[in-house]
Amino acid sequence: MATGGWGPGNGPGQPGGNGPGGQGGWGAPYGPPQGGPYGPPPPNPGPYPNQPPYPNPYPYGPQPTRPAARRRRGCLSFGSPFGLIGAILRSAHRVATRLFAQEGQGRIEDRTVDRVQLARTVLGAAATIALILAYNVDPNRWENAATGGAAQLILAPFVLIIAAPLVILGFIYYAPPHLRPHLRSRLRAPLKAVGWYVLTLVVIGGVLVPTALTVNADDGKDWWEYVLAVASLIVIVWGFPFFFMASLYSARSAFNSAQVHPMLPPVLTLALVWVFAVLNLTSDGMPGGPPIVQIGSTLGGPLSVTAVSLWELRRMRTRFGVTLRA
């Protein structure tokens, strides 16, 4: 008799058969054979029987992480001299930037102009070095050039304090009448920067001059002499770097004059460079070399700065739509 394809045949003595002597219907069609040639299978072999069990219920569960190694600061830590000097310079730079480099909403960021100005500065320095090497026979020429550059950097804010009011007044007078009150109302930022710069000079002079006149290392010091000595140390360590950076940023931003009008810094740069050209000509005279070299050395810097400033003004008008008389 047919079994329907599920159970074993219906021979006599076979369990689960349907013939005579069969025991119990269809049998277990899916069960393993009783006593096969390979023996009973291992319990729960799994797909990979030789692998050790995972420590977590799920093999991709969270694994223990090693704590991050603490970064060593080395020679730049605050306990080292280099780290302390770096911290002082960063602090002075941060305060100088906050006070004297506030470009505000009126400043136009033009990377092309910045690259041209940088290229002009590099070419000007290279031309100065070439002229010194070729025509200046002074043995102290490098020291004089470095001293002259530092002196111009320090004198630039003072020249701006004297010349900038006249330039700004002319700039405002040149503007249309309906814009003049608005420009005058925005003079607070440059005046504030000038006030901070003057206050810096007053504090430095007010600390160092009394210290030099009154403090004597030979006699017994009073308490106020110790206070002056500590204040002088602070001025030397922190005040001098701050004053240098303040002079640099004041000369570059023209005491935050861009907050009055975006065209005002290039105009002030034009006035500043020609004032320095006149001062250098009257104090040092013509440089050495042939006449063509003398004229180029005297007028090359001011003319190149003038060309870059005029190009910057034209770029503001044509590219960014910034005008004064419109």
Side-chain angles (χ1 to χ4, degrees), residues 104-120:
Q105 299 179 355
R107 181 68 175 177
I108 295 177
E109 295 290 339
D110 194 345
R111 299 302 180 187
T112 303
V113 175
D114 294 339
R115 287 192 289 267
V116 171
Q117 290 176 349
L118 179 61
R120 194 219 66 83

Side-chain angles (χ1 to χ4, degrees), residues 285-320:
M286 299 290 289
I292 186 66
V293 174
Q294 292 179 348
I295 297 175
S297 177
T298 304
L299 300 179
L303 288 177
S304 62
V305 173
T306 301
V308 173
S309 298
L310 293 177
W311 173 72
E312 182 181 1
L313 293 174
R314 182 179 180 276
R315 187 175 175 86
M316 286 185 185
R317 184 176 64 255
T318 58
R319 184 177 181 85
F320 300 98

